[in-house]
């Protein structure tokens, strides 16, 4: 099981809980002065049990031309050893992490689905060995389309 942290209020609940799984945290929560406090709390939470893992979730939209935001991501997130990996939601984020030399695990959100064999091949060859998860939507869609083509679904 995994949990996604989207608000500061949810952090308080997490800190009081016994949850021991994978935690996804919206990257924007981790930036700035408040982000520093949240990162400190997450470090404390993670150090309590070995099986706990923390993954920042990069935004749905990331613009490679937004230099101040990308600089903030790089200085405040990418260089922090707290993370077990990152979750990306679009191809730009994947490209950005690769460009910055990210070596830890990269997980693909359901929004980053690959809809054909060429896109899948391109994504895998461009991202190297660090992309560990593929969208469940891609897998489900592929099976569904395969099933729809059979006679039993056409009757």
């Amino acid at each position: 099981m995994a949990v996604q942290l989207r608000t500061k209020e949810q952090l308080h609940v997490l800190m009081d809980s016994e949850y021991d799984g994978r935690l996804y945290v919206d990257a924007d929560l981790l930036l700035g002065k408040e982000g520093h406090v949240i990162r400190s709390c997450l470090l404390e939470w993670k150090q309590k049990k070995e099986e706990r893992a923390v993954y920042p979730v990069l935004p749905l939209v990331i613009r490679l031309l937004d230099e101040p935001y990308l600089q903030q991501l790089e200085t405040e997130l990418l260089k922090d050893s707290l993370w077990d990996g990152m979750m990306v939601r679009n191809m730009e984020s994947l490209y950005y992490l690769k460009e910055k030399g990210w070596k830890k695990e990269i997980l693909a959100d359901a929004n980053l689905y690959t809809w054909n064999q060429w896109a899948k091949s391109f994504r895998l060859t461009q991202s190297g060995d660090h992309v560990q998860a593929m969208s469940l939507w891609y897998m489900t869609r592929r099976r569904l389309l395969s099933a729809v083509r059979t006679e039993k679904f056409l009757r």
Side-chain angles (χ1 to χ4, degrees):
M1 183 166 91
V3 171
Q4 185 167 358
L5 186 68
R6 294 183 180 189
T7 67
K8 291 184 303 181
E9 293 76 23
Q10 291 172 335
L11 175 65
H12 299 298
V13 174
L14 174 75
M15 295 300 289
D16 294 334
S17 77
E18 293 297 317
Y19 177 69
D20 291 330
R22 185 177 286 195
L23 178 67
Y24 298 105
V25 184
D26 283 3
D28 288 345
L29 279 178
L30 303 168
L31 301 175
K33 290 179 183 178
E34 283 190 6
H36 179 73
V37 173
I38 291 172
R39 291 194 310 268
S40 296
C41 291
L42 290 173
L43 178 61
E44 178 186 325
W45 175 81
K46 185 178 175 182
Q47 289 176 336
K48 288 182 182 177
K49 294 200 177 170
E50 189 175 312
E51 58 271 9
R52 292 178 172 175
V54 182
Y55 292 78
V57 180
L58 295 178
L60 279 169
V61 176
I62 188 168
R63 290 181 172 78
L64 298 179
L65 297 175
D66 188 1
E67 199 59 39
Y69 180 76
L70 296 176
Q71 186 63 38
Q72 190 177 19
L73 274 179
E74 184 175 0
T75 57
E76 296 184 35
L77 286 186
L78 299 184
K79 296 180 180 177
D80 195 327
S81 61
L82 170 63
W83 320 126
D84 296 283
M86 290 273 178
M87 177 177 275
V88 296
R89 294 174 164 176
N90 55 55
M91 293 297 282
E92 290 83 5
S93 296
L94 181 60
Y95 173 80
Y96 175 74
L97 289 177
K98 182 179 178 191
E99 182 182 73
K100 294 300 177 184
W102 182 257
K103 300 293 183 205
K104 293 183 180 180
E105 185 176 32
I106 299 173
L107 302 175
D109 183 77
N111 292 316
L112 184 69
Y113 66 88
T114 53
W115 54 274
N116 64 41
Q117 63 188 1
W118 296 282
K120 176 183 169 189
S121 174
F122 173 77
R123 189 192 71 168
L124 293 175
T125 58
Q126 295 301 308
S127 60
D129 296 331
H130 305 295
V131 176
Q132 299 296 325
M134 182 177 292
S135 166
L136 180 61
W137 166 244
Y138 168 75
M139 303 305 286
T140 306
R141 181 175 173 265
R142 187 173 181 184
R143 288 188 184 115
L144 180 62
L145 288 174
S146 176
V148 167
R149 290 183 185 126
T150 65
E151 270 187 50
K152 62 182 175 185
F153 283 90
L154 296 176
R155 292 182 195 175

